[in-house]
Amino acid sequence: MTILEADLTPATLKQDMDRLFFKKKLLNFAVPALILVYMGYVFVAFDMAGLWQRVSWQNAQTLVSDTYSYKTHVTRDNRDGSVSVAIEGERKGAYPEGDSPAWVSLGETAGAETAIDLENGHLVRFGAESIEYDIPGYGLVRATPTRAKGVQAELPAGAVPDWISVSKNRLAIKTDAGRLTVTRNRAEVFRYFNGWELFFFTLDSPYHGLSIGEVLTRAASGEAGAILNDFWNNKMWRHRDVAWAIAETLLMAFLGTIGAGIIALPLAFIAARNFSPFGPLRCVARRFFDFLRGVDSLIWTVVLARAFGPGPLTGALAILVTDTGTFGKIFSEALENVDEKQIEGIASTGAKPAQRYRFGVIPQITPVLLSQLLYFLESNTRSATIIGAITGGGIGLLLTQAIITQKDWEEVAYYIVLIILMVMMMDWLSGWLRRRLIKGEGGKTKRKARADGKAFLLP
């Protein structure tokens, strides 16, 4: 019996198979075990239990509700007794003096009682000396603000519920109907409503409060220009500024992407092995591309902002620098994969090197160039939003400002919706251009042949 035959005995084969199955079982158990250990380490290292305890669900609920609702502020100055009503508490959304919504009954003189009906039995009264809140099922809460003693609160007998916060200088009540806050100098009532109030017209516009039919009727009667002007120059929602910010974001993405492609294409010839025989120069070009794309665009944004100052141009330059390195690598790899026979065919006609590149190389790599340019243009549209938040340009800046205030979350929702629509539009446009330029599709028009061999267009 030979050595090979001895190795192929049933006992030996069984031992080998047992070892093989044991290794596979060990591997199948070891990998999930390592992942489980790693997840356990992450849970402890990042203090996930403490993070869960620190979560403020009430604050999160308030922010979420603010994205699809607005609040009207009724404010009383405790020093002179004057009362003002403003949507979102902003001066741009303030009701004219002496005017108010139907659920607010203003006193005829300063200091006279003002009644605020929050519906379902909730009633707030601003009196000459004190503020009262009649809460169904709980009772009457009275607060008397004074200079010397702060806010003196009188509550019904019993334990103070968790939706009432009372201290020497402040009384805060939050119910399903609204909120009341009383301090020494001011008493304020918030009432929430669903929707984005004043989105089309502000209170000072003659078209505020009109129905869609009435607005369309006035537009047909020759007031279309005035209607568009009031909407475009809305002081609360700033539609004109938002549109310009969207344009700046798209401009940053376009300039950065196209500029990077223009710079990277000639440099890619230096980095391609079949077009740059000089090794050291090729190595320098490749390391240059690695350096540019090795630093994230956000880092380049911070660096360039120190050099050129904030603005959309800085964001475009950051995208350009990063994408130059990425495009240089992609284009050089595409050049190394071109078909040499096509280049030799062009050269056989007596074409010069520039002509060989133009007619023998560029047509081969054009689909790759266009595909990558369009993809990065779509991706950079999203990146330009974050870059704009750092450099102070585009829709990213408006989004950051709205988030920082923590009171204009309906504007945050508005900007996020616009960003999503912008990305969807760029996705559609990129796909349409890809089909037109790379696949050669002509939209809905297709060329077909007649039975007699003549071609015609079928819509």
Side-chain angles (χ1 to χ4, degrees), residues 34-50:
L34 288 175
I35 295 176
L36 186 61
V37 170
Y38 176 73
M39 296 302 295
Y41 167 75
V42 170
F43 186 85
V44 175
F46 288 91
D47 191 19
M48 299 299 294

Side-chain angles (χ1 to χ4, degrees), residues 181-328:
T181 303
V182 182
T183 61
R184 294 187 182 189
N185 298 325
R186 185 171 64 176
E188 193 166 25
V189 173
F190 299 164
R191 184 177 177 185
Y192 284 85
F193 298 88
N194 290 329
W196 290 350
E197 180 62 8
L198 307 182
F199 183 79
F200 295 100
F201 307 107
T202 52
L203 292 171
D204 57 353
S205 172
Y207 309 105
H208 175 261
L210 299 181
S211 65
I212 297 178
E214 292 173 330
V215 173
L216 293 178
T217 301
R218 292 202 179 188
S221 62
E223 300 183 28
I227 293 174
L228 290 176
N229 179 71
D230 281 10
F231 170 78
W232 189 246
N233 296 299
N234 188 308
K235 294 179 293 185
M236 287 284 289
W237 291 89
R238 302 183 298 169
H239 298 301
R240 180 177 59 181
D241 296 337
V242 172
W244 176 247
I246 291 287
E248 280 188 343
T249 302
L250 294 174
L251 185 63
M252 279 192 289
F254 180 81
L255 290 178
T257 306
I258 301 303
I262 294 174
I263 296 174
L265 182 58
L267 295 178
F269 282 92
I270 301 176
R273 184 176 291 103
N274 51 343
F275 290 95
S276 180
F278 188 55
L281 181 61
R282 186 171 65 248
C283 180
V284 170
R286 288 178 176 270
R287 300 295 76 78
F288 176 68
F289 291 148
D290 291 340
F291 169 70
L292 293 181
R293 66 189 179 89
V295 181
D296 191 78
S297 57
L298 292 179
I299 305 300
W300 283 118
T301 301
V302 176
V303 173
L304 294 173
R306 297 296 300 271
F308 299 98
L313 181 60
T314 303
L317 289 176
I319 295 175
L320 184 146
V321 171
T322 304
D323 285 0
T324 297
T326 305
F327 286 151

Side-chain angles (χ1 to χ4, degrees), residues 432 436 440-448 456-459:
W432 181 80
R436 293 277 296 184
E441 297 180 5
K444 296 182 179 179
T445 304
K446 299 181 180 179
R447 184 171 297 276
K448 296 185 177 180
F456 68 101
L457 292 176
L458 265 181

Side-chain angles (χ1 to χ4, degrees), residues 74 76 81 83 104-109 111-116 124-127:
V74 183
R76 177 184 185 271
V83 177
V104 178
S105 300
L106 296 175
E108 296 182 359
T109 60
E113 181 178 284
T114 297
I116 305 168
V124 178
R125 290 181 293 271
F126 291 162

